[in-house]
Amino acid sequence: MTSMNQNNAATTATATTVTVNKVKAVATWLAKPVLLTVLLALSTMAGAIYLPITPVPITLQTLVLCIIGLTLSWRKGVASVVMYLALGAAGLPVFAGFKGGWAVFVGPTAGFLVGFIFGVAATAALKHVFDVALDAMMPERSLKKTFVRFCTYAVASIIGTIVIYAFGIFGQSLLTGMPLSTAAATLIIFMIGDLIKAFVASAACSGLYNALNKKRA
């Protein structure tokens, strides 16, 4: 009986350890996505500028989305955006203009919200491909490599931003009845600003990448 009790206790202890390790692994995996989800929400809630030519506001969302794509894997990046959208769908005022709830998903900005998922995934996937290729072609550390990394990050960010705009323009046209050409024309001013944000995010993330790798070297 004593031996059986000891075996049961050992089995229970092992099961508990496995469960704790799994919980720790999940928590570790979610740590960065959760942090960047909060940052995305705060960047949106910080303020939005509305222009009379379009119902889509100017925010810092695209800057944070580029950072998410450049610092997380595509899976973690998508998880971060999905958590952000889930918070908004649940009614929390994390969308532009302190809005929340399902109504936003049938409004003029719905296409952009959906596009966030695919834009971040595109940026993260391209960034990974570029990193692997760059490290293979230029294994040594150099100023040239730093500049090339910045350029590849900028390309990944711009392509991700284009993906977001593709969804956004189509969604705005579909939900408002506005012709695609008109919807695209009203968003040109946003595109210019978001290109600048893409370069800012690329400079920050490529610099962070080099700084972290310098410490590890």
Side-chain angles (χ1 to χ4, degrees), residues 91-112:
L92 295 179
V94 296
F95 296 142
F98 284 94
K99 296 178 181 178
W102 283 103
V104 180
F105 290 90
V106 293
T109 61
F112 283 94

Side-chain angles (χ1 to χ4, degrees), residues 153-197:
Y153 281 15
V155 170
S157 297
I158 291 171
I159 291 177
T161 301
I162 291 173
V163 171
I164 293 172
Y165 269 91
F167 277 87
I169 291 171
F170 179 78
Q172 185 173 332
S173 175
L174 179 66
L175 295 170
T176 64
M178 184 184 298
L180 283 172
S181 58
T182 303
T186 60
L187 294 173
I188 289 178
I189 187 171
F190 294 91
M191 295 178 188
I192 297 173
D194 286 337
L195 286 177
I196 295 174
K197 295 172 193 174

Side-chain angles (χ1 to χ4, degrees), residues 25 27 54 61 79 100-101 201 205:
T54 175
Q61 281 178 323
C205 291

Side-chain angles (χ1 to χ4, degrees), residues 116-130:
F116 288 172
I117 297 173
F118 296 94
V120 163
T123 298
L126 287 170
K127 181 257 185 185
H128 175 71
V129 171
F130 289 150

Side-chain angles (χ1 to χ4, degrees), residues 49-58 178 186 189-190:
I49 301 174
Y50 287 88
L51 301 177
I53 60 173
T54 175
V56 180
I58 298 175
M178 184 184 298
T186 60
I189 187 171
F190 294 91

Side-chain angles (χ1 to χ4, degrees), residues 40 43-44 46-47 58-65 197:
L40 179 58
S43 70
T44 308
I58 298 175
T59 69
L60 293 175
Q61 281 178 323
T62 47
L63 173 64
V64 179
L65 289 167
K197 295 172 193 174

